[in-house]
Amino acid sequence: RDLIQETFIKVWRRCASFRGQSELLPWIKSILRNGAVDRLRRSPREVPLDADDAVSEEAERRIAELSAVHVPTPDDEARQRQLAECFARCWQRFESAAPEHAAVMTWIVEDGLSNEEISELLGRTPGATREFISQCRKRARRHFADWYELAFRAE
């Protein structure tokens, strides 16, 4: 942001020197590019860490913390697989027991349809559609009880 601001200050100061023989945008880009190169030349060079340089305990703790958050462990992957398999079983039960309810839930979750769009598809009034969607959610909760228990139980 500072470099762009400096570039426009230079453009303002040098606008009298712009001859108009070329286009304005390439002229501004060249000022920006030259400013970026100058700034890089002035910046101190990075010094690589030697083997003797010690990483602080705080840095080591933070690196370990970030690694634990972003890198899934084998247990995490097994849990995700277990959740996915449980969800698939619950969905199959829900779809076979209440296909119309499952279709409406698919429209909401996967297709992102609004209540008004679902109302048109079902041929119901908006109030009746809201009530039907509520029934669909209640029925889904019963069929997905195993998945909810597995996904949200205290670890």
Side-chain angles (χ1 to χ4, degrees):
R1 290 181 180 176
D2 291 340
L3 183 59
I4 292 173
Q5 186 175 9
E6 290 170 15
T7 299
F8 280 108
I9 290 170
K10 289 177 184 176
V11 166
W12 176 256
R13 288 181 181 160
R14 298 179 189 171
C15 67
S17 68
F18 180 68
R19 296 188 191 134
Q21 294 172 345
S22 64
E23 291 188 32
L24 183 63
L25 187 59
W27 182 64
I28 294 173
K29 284 182 178 180
S30 68
I31 294 172
L32 178 65
R33 183 178 46 253
N34 292 337
V37 169
D38 289 342
R39 188 175 274 213
L40 287 171
R41 285 182 185 146
R42 286 190 310 253
S43 68
R45 304 225 182 244
E46 293 182 15
V47 179
L49 289 175
D50 293 335
D52 299 335
D53 291 338
V55 177
S56 71
E57 289 180 27
E58 175 64 22
E60 286 179 358
R61 184 192 62 76
R62 186 72 179 127
I63 289 169
E65 181 181 295
L66 290 172
S67 297
V69 170
H70 296 293
V71 178
T73 64
D75 290 339
D76 294 335
E77 291 174 353
R79 179 169 166 71
Q80 289 300 321
R81 241 185 342 271
Q82 183 182 18
L83 280 169
E85 290 168 358
C86 182
F87 185 88
R89 284 191 310 272
C90 291
W91 180 257
Q92 286 174 345
R93 282 196 312 253
F94 179 47
E95 206 170 29
S96 64
E100 188 177 18
H101 292 83
V104 170
M105 295 306 293
T106 301
W107 293 342
I108 293 169
V109 176
E110 292 180 9
D111 301 332
L113 297 183
S114 67
N115 285 1
E116 292 78 24
E117 293 168 322
I118 294 171
S119 178
E120 290 178 25
L121 288 172
L122 295 175
R124 296 175 182 225
T125 65
T129 301
R130 277 192 302 276
E131 179 61 33
F132 185 69
I133 290 172
S134 176
Q135 291 172 5
C136 293
R137 288 184 174 136
K138 287 176 186 174
R139 185 169 280 197
R141 278 189 213 111
R142 285 193 304 257
H143 286 87
F144 284 90
D146 296 342
W147 181 82
Y148 281 116
E149 182 182 335
L150 186 64
F152 298 110
R153 71 175 173 217
E155 296 190 17

